[in-house]
Amino acid sequence: MQLLTPPSPSDLPFRSDADPMFDVAFSRRHPNEMGARHMAALFNGTQLISPPALHGLSFSDNGNLMYDVAFYDTRSNPNEKGMRRAAALFNSSRVRFHALLSYPREIQGMHVTVLSLPDPARCIYRNLCRLSHGPGPKYLYKPLLHWVFSQDVKRIIVLDTDVVVIRPISELWAQFDHFGDAMIGIAYEQSRLYVDQHGKNYGTNGGVQLLDLEKMRASKRYAEALDWLASGIGQSQHGNANGRYYIGYLGDQTLYSYLAKSHPDLLYRLPCEWNRQLSMHFSTRNASVHACPQPCGVLHANFGPLKCVAGIMQSNPSCETWKQLRTGVALNNGALPMKFAKCPGSREREFRSFSERFFSDCCRA
C-alpha cells in the first residue's frame, strides 16, 4: 500500500465544581546516524529531556487535577483573539490554558510556551523538516511537544485556533481513558486526501490532538519511530508513487498518517465527533467521510474560505447563530448582521447545503 503525498491546499458554559481540571494548549541521513549516545540523550531510562517544571500548576488549590489545553500558532502575529474566544467557551476554572508560540508574547490568561527543543530533539526536527516544504515545518513541532513542555504537564489537548469546542471539555479529556498503550489521540482526516490505491484511509487531521506526554517521554519505541521517519528509510516501504517518503506541506498530520500505517499501536483514533472538519477541498457530498453518527463535539474550520465560521461561532456558538450562518436568514424577521452576510462569501450556496446535511448539530442548544 502507498499513501498519497498531499498536495498544497488551494485555498462553554460547563462550569462545575465536580469537573476535574484540564490543561489546554492551544539531504537524508542513514537511520542509524543518530547513534547510541544520541538516542541515549533523548531517552534516559523512563524520562526524556524536558524543560524545568512549572511548579504548582498540576493541581488546583483544592487538589483537583487540572486539564491542560494548548492553542498552537507559529505565526509572527498569532491569532490572540481567536485563542481568547476559543478559551472563553470552556468557562471552567479547572482548565489551565497554554499558548504554543514561535514568537513569544504575553497573552492574558495563558501560560506561553516557546516552541524550542533540546539539541538531540532538534536534530530529529531538522531532518523531518528536510522532508517537508511550505508551512509543513511549522507544524512538525507537534509530534515533539513532549520535549517542549515541562515534565509536570503529563497530558495535554492541543487545538488549532480555528476550532470551536461545542461539548464539555471533560468529555474530550475522557478519551485519554481509552488509549490503552497508545500515546497520541487524533481523528481521521475527513476527506479523501490520504486514501491509498486500495481505498484505505490512513489519514489523520492535526487540528485536535490528545497527547499523553508522559508516555511519549517514556517510550523508546516512539523516539525510535520519530528517528526512523526523520531518516527517510521508509521510502521503499511506504513511499509515494514516485518512490519518495515525503512529509510535505501538511507537516504533522502527514507524519501521523505514516505512523498510522507503520506504528498503529502508538495512535488512538479519536471518534469523529471530536474533529468535525469543514473541509470542502475534495467533496461536499461524500457521506463516507463527512457523516458522523455522534453529536458534534468540536467544529474545525479547516478550509480557507470558511475560516470566518470559526470566528463567528467562537464568539457565540448558539444554534441560533449557527442557523443564521448556515441559512443566511435573520431570526425574527430582523436584519442579518453584516458578518453573516460576508461569511462564507463565494462558497455560500455550497456551504449551506454541505453544512445542513452533515453539520447541523455543531452548535450549543
Side-chain angles (χ1 to χ4, degrees), residues 35-192:
R37 284 187 296 178
H38 196 168
M39 183 60 74
L42 285 172
F43 182 83
N44 182 14
T46 59
Q47 292 187 336
L48 296 177
I49 295 172
S50 248
L54 305 174
H55 297 294
L57 293 178
S58 294
F59 292 87
S60 63
D61 292 340
N62 61 8
N64 290 316
L65 176 67
M66 297 289 293
Y67 298 150
D68 285 304
V69 178
F71 296 102
Y72 186 94
D73 196 327
T74 61
R75 292 171 290 190
S76 58
N77 186 26
N79 185 6
E80 294 184 44
K81 289 184 179 179
M83 292 183 193
R84 288 195 293 265
R85 284 195 305 259
L89 297 181
F90 292 84
N91 194 25
S92 171
S93 61
R94 296 186 176 179
V95 178
R96 175 171 65 172
F97 291 105
H98 304 257
L100 287 161
L101 307 177
S102 293
Y103 301 88
R105 62 176 65 194
E106 289 187 8
I107 298 181
Q108 185 177 4
M110 297 190 182
H111 177 80
V112 174
T113 297
V114 178
L115 291 166
S116 178
L117 294 165
D119 287 340
R122 195 176 300 125
C123 176
I124 287 182
Y125 175 74
R126 284 197 302 264
N127 283 288
L128 289 172
C129 289
R130 292 174 185 174
L131 301 171
S132 187
H133 70 274
K138 297 179 181 180
Y139 309 140
L140 286 169
Y141 281 103
K142 289 184 181 180
L144 311 177
L145 288 179
H146 55 303
W147 291 321
V148 173
F149 279 108
S150 59
Q151 299 247 355
D152 69 328
V153 182
K154 301 181 185 303
R155 290 176 170 179
I156 198 157
I157 296 172
V158 180
L159 303 174
D160 285 353
T161 57
D162 57 359
V163 304
V164 184
V165 178
I166 305 297
R167 284 163 52 186
I169 195 64
S170 58
E171 295 183 16
L172 178 55
W173 190 270
Q175 292 295 317
F176 278 115
D177 296 336
H178 303 290
F179 272 30
D181 293 331
M183 51 200 67
I184 296 166
I186 194 164
Y188 279 104
E189 168 70 17
Q190 290 167 9
S191 76
R192 296 187 62 80

Side-chain angles (χ1 to χ4, degrees), residues 205-355:
N205 182 276
V208 178
Q209 300 183 24
L210 274 62
L211 304 180
D212 192 321
L213 301 175
E214 193 169 41
K215 283 185 181 178
M216 292 163 72
R217 293 178 185 123
S219 175
K220 185 176 181 181
R221 176 168 166 77
Y222 182 60
E224 290 175 340
L226 289 173
D227 187 43
W228 178 80
L229 286 166
S231 73
I233 191 175
Q235 292 181 60
S236 60
Q237 298 171 325
H238 299 283
N240 62 21
N242 297 319
R244 299 183 65 197
Y245 184 49
Y246 198 64
I247 292 171
Y249 191 92
L250 298 178
D252 62 313
Q253 69 180 46
T254 300
L255 183 150
Y256 289 139
S257 299
Y258 283 125
L259 274 181
K261 193 169 187 178
S262 63
H263 298 73
D265 55 301
L266 299 178
L267 302 184
Y268 166 73
R269 289 289 191 178
L270 286 178
C272 58
E273 64 265 29
W274 293 114
N275 189 346
R276 298 301 314 279
Q277 299 151 41
L278 287 173
S279 173
M280 298 166 65
H281 281 298
F282 297 101
S283 170
T284 59
R285 299 182 177 86
N286 191 338
S288 68
V289 293
H290 292 301
C292 183
Q294 300 302 320
C296 184
V298 174
L299 181 65
H300 184 193
N302 65 326
F303 181 57
L306 301 184
K307 295 294 182 182
C308 57
V309 171
I312 292 173
M313 291 299 289
Q314 287 168 347
S315 297
N316 182 358
S318 70
C319 289
E320 290 81 6
T321 299
W322 189 221
K323 184 175 181 180
Q324 287 187 95
L325 187 56
R326 289 188 297 105
T327 64
V329 176
L331 300 177
N332 302 320
N333 297 316
L336 190 69
M338 183 61 67
K339 62 183 179 181
F340 294 97
K342 293 183 177 180
C343 181
S346 62
R347 306 297 294 267
E348 178 181 3
R349 179 179 297 182
E350 197 175 7
F351 167 72
R352 287 178 180 174
S353 60
F354 174 59
S355 59

